[in-house]
mmCIF file of all heavy atoms in Angstrom:
data_model
loop_
_atom_site.group_PDB
_atom_site.id
_atom_site.type_symbol
_atom_site.label_atom_id
_atom_site.label_comp_id
_atom_site.label_asym_id
_atom_site.label_seq_id
_atom_site.Cartn_x
_atom_site.Cartn_y
_atom_site.Cartn_z
ATOM 1 N N HIS A 633 162.557 51.716 71.551
ATOM 2 C CA HIS A 633 163.951 51.820 71.224
ATOM 3 C C HIS A 633 164.473 50.571 70.417
ATOM 4 O O HIS A 633 165.235 50.721 69.423
ATOM 5 C CB HIS A 633 164.837 51.905 72.507
ATOM 6 C CG HIS A 633 164.680 53.231 73.160
ATOM 7 N ND1 HIS A 633 164.915 53.402 74.542
ATOM 8 C CD2 HIS A 633 164.411 54.445 72.723
ATOM 9 C CE1 HIS A 633 164.783 54.663 74.825
ATOM 10 N NE2 HIS A 633 164.426 55.309 73.739
ATOM 11 N N HIS A 678 157.523 59.672 69.919
ATOM 12 C CA HIS A 678 158.362 59.194 71.004
ATOM 13 C C HIS A 678 159.301 60.353 71.547
ATOM 14 O O HIS A 678 159.425 60.605 72.699
ATOM 15 C CB HIS A 678 159.190 58.022 70.439
ATOM 16 C CG HIS A 678 160.196 57.420 71.337
ATOM 17 N ND1 HIS A 678 160.087 56.163 71.925
ATOM 18 C CD2 HIS A 678 161.455 57.892 71.746
ATOM 19 C CE1 HIS A 678 161.173 55.894 72.648
ATOM 20 N NE2 HIS A 678 162.017 56.926 72.613
ATOM 21 N N PHE A 679 159.874 61.044 70.574
ATOM 22 C CA PHE A 679 160.779 62.219 70.962
ATOM 23 C C PHE A 679 159.941 63.241 71.765
ATOM 24 O O PHE A 679 160.420 63.701 72.823
ATOM 25 C CB PHE A 679 161.300 62.927 69.728
ATOM 26 C CG PHE A 679 162.517 62.205 69.078
ATOM 27 C CD1 PHE A 679 162.867 60.908 69.369
ATOM 28 C CD2 PHE A 679 163.345 62.972 68.220
ATOM 29 C CE1 PHE A 679 163.966 60.308 68.792
ATOM 30 C CE2 PHE A 679 164.482 62.338 67.675
ATOM 31 C CZ PHE A 679 164.852 61.076 67.950
ATOM 32 N N GLU A 682 159.149 62.079 75.326
ATOM 33 C CA GLU A 682 160.341 62.197 76.186
ATOM 34 C C GLU A 682 160.571 63.658 76.615
ATOM 35 O O GLU A 682 160.867 63.904 77.813
ATOM 36 C CB GLU A 682 161.594 61.671 75.427
ATOM 37 C CG GLU A 682 161.547 60.150 75.292
ATOM 38 C CD GLU A 682 162.745 59.656 74.458
ATOM 39 O OE1 GLU A 682 163.337 60.421 73.651
ATOM 40 O OE2 GLU A 682 163.032 58.465 74.539
ATOM 41 N N PHE A 687 162.247 63.903 80.372
ATOM 42 C CA PHE A 687 163.575 64.491 80.605
ATOM 43 C C PHE A 687 163.597 65.285 81.913
ATOM 44 O O PHE A 687 164.707 65.491 82.430
ATOM 45 C CB PHE A 687 163.988 65.325 79.418
ATOM 46 C CG PHE A 687 164.346 64.553 78.168
ATOM 47 C CD1 PHE A 687 164.503 65.158 76.920
ATOM 48 C CD2 PHE A 687 164.496 63.117 78.264
ATOM 49 C CE1 PHE A 687 164.805 64.401 75.847
ATOM 50 C CE2 PHE A 687 164.830 62.383 77.104
ATOM 51 C CZ PHE A 687 164.971 63.028 75.891
ATOM 52 N N LEU A 702 170.055 65.744 75.517
ATOM 53 C CA LEU A 702 169.263 64.764 74.748
ATOM 54 C C LEU A 702 168.326 65.529 73.848
ATOM 55 O O LEU A 702 167.989 65.084 72.706
ATOM 56 C CB LEU A 702 168.479 63.795 75.700
ATOM 57 C CG LEU A 702 169.332 62.810 76.472
ATOM 58 C CD1 LEU A 702 168.521 62.069 77.513
ATOM 59 C CD2 LEU A 702 170.075 61.812 75.551
ATOM 60 N N HIS A 706 167.958 65.217 69.763
ATOM 61 C CA HIS A 706 166.669 65.067 69.029
ATOM 62 C C HIS A 706 166.669 66.031 67.822
ATOM 63 O O HIS A 706 166.261 65.679 66.736
ATOM 64 C CB HIS A 706 165.492 65.327 69.912
ATOM 65 C CG HIS A 706 165.105 64.208 70.873
ATOM 66 N ND1 HIS A 706 164.033 64.354 71.729
ATOM 67 C CD2 HIS A 706 165.618 63.013 71.064
ATOM 68 C CE1 HIS A 706 163.916 63.194 72.403
ATOM 69 N NE2 HIS A 706 164.873 62.400 71.979
ATOM 70 N N HIS A 750 172.132 57.560 70.317
ATOM 71 C CA HIS A 750 171.139 58.204 71.130
ATOM 72 C C HIS A 750 170.290 57.119 71.916
ATOM 73 O O HIS A 750 170.032 57.262 73.093
ATOM 74 C CB HIS A 750 170.206 59.076 70.248
ATOM 75 C CG HIS A 750 169.146 59.837 70.992
ATOM 76 N ND1 HIS A 750 169.401 60.928 71.803
ATOM 77 C CD2 HIS A 750 167.827 59.539 71.132
ATOM 78 C CE1 HIS A 750 168.275 61.304 72.313
ATOM 79 N NE2 HIS A 750 167.286 60.533 71.979
ATOM 80 N N GLU A 754 169.989 56.562 75.978
ATOM 81 C CA GLU A 754 168.765 56.525 76.744
ATOM 82 C C GLU A 754 168.521 55.200 77.454
ATOM 83 O O GLU A 754 167.985 55.216 78.542
ATOM 84 C CB GLU A 754 167.596 56.917 75.848
ATOM 85 C CG GLU A 754 167.619 58.398 75.474
ATOM 86 C CD GLU A 754 166.444 58.831 74.658
ATOM 87 O OE1 GLU A 754 165.668 57.997 74.162
ATOM 88 O OE2 GLU A 754 166.274 60.052 74.458
ATOM 89 N N LEU A 758 168.439 56.959 80.798
ATOM 90 C CA LEU A 758 167.056 57.453 80.978
ATOM 91 C C LEU A 758 166.152 56.374 81.520
ATOM 92 O O LEU A 758 165.396 56.559 82.559
ATOM 93 C CB LEU A 758 166.524 58.039 79.680
ATOM 94 C CG LEU A 758 165.051 58.469 79.672
ATOM 95 C CD1 LEU A 758 164.821 59.629 80.617
ATOM 96 C CD2 LEU A 758 164.570 58.809 78.287
HETATM 97 FE FE1 LIG B 1414 165.308 60.403 72.712
#
Side-chain angles (χ1 to χ4, degrees):
H633 286 156
H678 176 108
F679 278 20
E682 288 174 338
F687 289 167
L702 293 172
H706 281 181
H750 180 78
E754 288 184 347
L758 175 64

